[in-house]
Amino acid sequence: MVTDAILNDAILSEAVLIGADLRGAYLGGANLIGTNLSGANLIGATLWSAILIGANLSGADIGGADLTGADLRGGKLEWVDLSGAVLSDVDLRGVNLTNTKLNTAILAGANLSGQDLSMKYLCRIDFQKANLAFCNLTEANMSGSNMREANLQKAILMHADLSSANLSGADITDANTFRWKIEDIICTHIKRQGHEIRFDEHEFEKRYGRIENLHQIIFDLPLSYLTYSTGRAIEKLIHGMCQ
């Protein structure tokens, strides 16, 4: 047992630490490239700016840990509990997040570009200034989450639930918002195509909810060429009005 161990800046690359008890350990700046930490107990551990590129954290318990600024690119996080963990400014590109719990995690400024987060429970998560470009968020439950100034360019938000979320300042350029749920959303302004669009209270919900209803009408009809062409023309007109 190495509970509360001080391992700041330690070089542990490629080490085999399967099932290790590292509760409350200090691993700030540690080199953990390719390290096998599967099944490890990292509850409450401090991993500020740790380098975890390609590390195996499958099955680890990282609840309440602080990974601010850590580099997790290409790592394995299947079946990991990150509930309440601080993941601010963490690089999670290419990370396998299959069955990963992110309940109430702090992901402010995190880079999740291209991640598949479809059907995930992402309620009340802090995504402020996070990079969610190209993410698949189909049917994700993001209700109550803080998404201020998040990058959602070309993200897939089909059927996603953003009820009561804060979307102020987010960039939704070319995002797929088909049938997204935006009831009681907080949004003072958004960015689209390099332009800032400002809204009065509840105006965003009314404008983009109206476009959503149009999508639903168009795509619930038999898709003839005439229906498609007419729908696209009307859609472009309304989008233009909203800019």
Side-chain angles (χ1 to χ4, degrees):
M1 180 184 292
V2 285
T3 304
D4 297 321
I6 298 176
L7 298 165
N8 291 339
D9 300 314
I11 299 176
L12 297 166
S13 56
E14 306 295 338
V16 179
L17 298 171
I18 298 173
D21 189 344
L22 292 164
R23 284 174 292 169
Y26 292 85
L27 289 153
N31 182 341
L32 295 160
I33 296 174
T35 300
N36 190 342
L37 286 157
S38 57
N41 186 341
L42 287 156
I43 294 175
T46 299
L47 293 122
W48 297 337
S49 302
I51 306 171
L52 289 147
I53 297 172
N56 184 355
L57 290 156
S58 300
D61 192 340
I62 314 177
D66 190 342
L67 290 95
T68 300
D71 192 340
L72 284 155
R73 284 176 295 168
K76 295 180 180 179
L77 287 168
E78 304 103 309
W79 301 101
V80 171
D81 188 353
L82 286 166
S83 300
V86 179
L87 297 157
S88 300
D89 301 314
V90 167
D91 196 334
L92 288 162
R93 287 176 294 173
V95 173
N96 188 334
L97 294 171
T98 303
N99 297 305
T100 301
K101 290 183 180 179
L102 291 165
N103 303 1
T104 65
I106 297 174
L107 285 153
N111 192 342
L112 292 134
S113 179
Q115 276 289 354
D116 184 357
L117 300 170
S118 56
M119 303 182 70
K120 273 197 173 294
Y121 183 82
L122 302 170
C123 295
R124 297 181 300 280
I125 287 179
D126 187 354
F127 283 113
Q128 183 165 341
K129 294 185 179 180
N131 184 1
L132 295 161
F134 301 96
C135 276
N136 181 1
L137 292 158
T138 303
E139 295 186 39
N141 187 341
M142 307 174 78
S143 57
S145 289
N146 177 11
M147 305 186 72
R148 290 179 59 87
E149 299 182 64
N151 180 1
L152 288 161
Q153 295 183 54
K154 297 188 177 181
I156 302 173
L157 291 156
M158 291 176 18
H159 299 276
D161 186 353
L162 279 78
S163 301
S164 302
N166 190 335
L167 206 64
S168 298
D171 191 335
I172 62 169
T173 300
D174 296 326
N176 185 337
T177 59
F178 178 60
R179 292 189 182 178
W180 66 348
K181 186 176 180 181
I182 52 173
E183 295 176 2
D184 299 317
I185 202 161
I186 300 168
C187 186
T188 58
H189 63 291
I190 58 166
K191 297 175 184 176
R192 289 186 71 241
Q193 308 294 345
H195 300 286
E196 182 177 287
I197 309 166
R198 304 198 68 84
F199 306 98
D200 293 329
E201 188 175 1
H202 301 305
E203 186 180 1
F204 175 84
E205 182 178 331
K206 291 176 181 177
R207 288 195 186 186
Y208 283 83
R210 186 173 64 213
I211 293 172
E212 162 52 26
N213 291 335
L214 177 63
H215 275 300
Q216 186 169 344
I217 292 169
I218 293 169
F219 287 99
D220 281 347
L221 290 171
L223 193 59
S224 66
Y225 177 76
L226 179 60
T227 300
Y228 176 80
S229 300
T230 303
R232 290 295 293 172
I234 297 172
E235 181 187 355
K236 287 181 180 179
L237 176 61
I238 293 179
H239 271 297
M241 292 169 60
C242 291
Q243 293 184 6

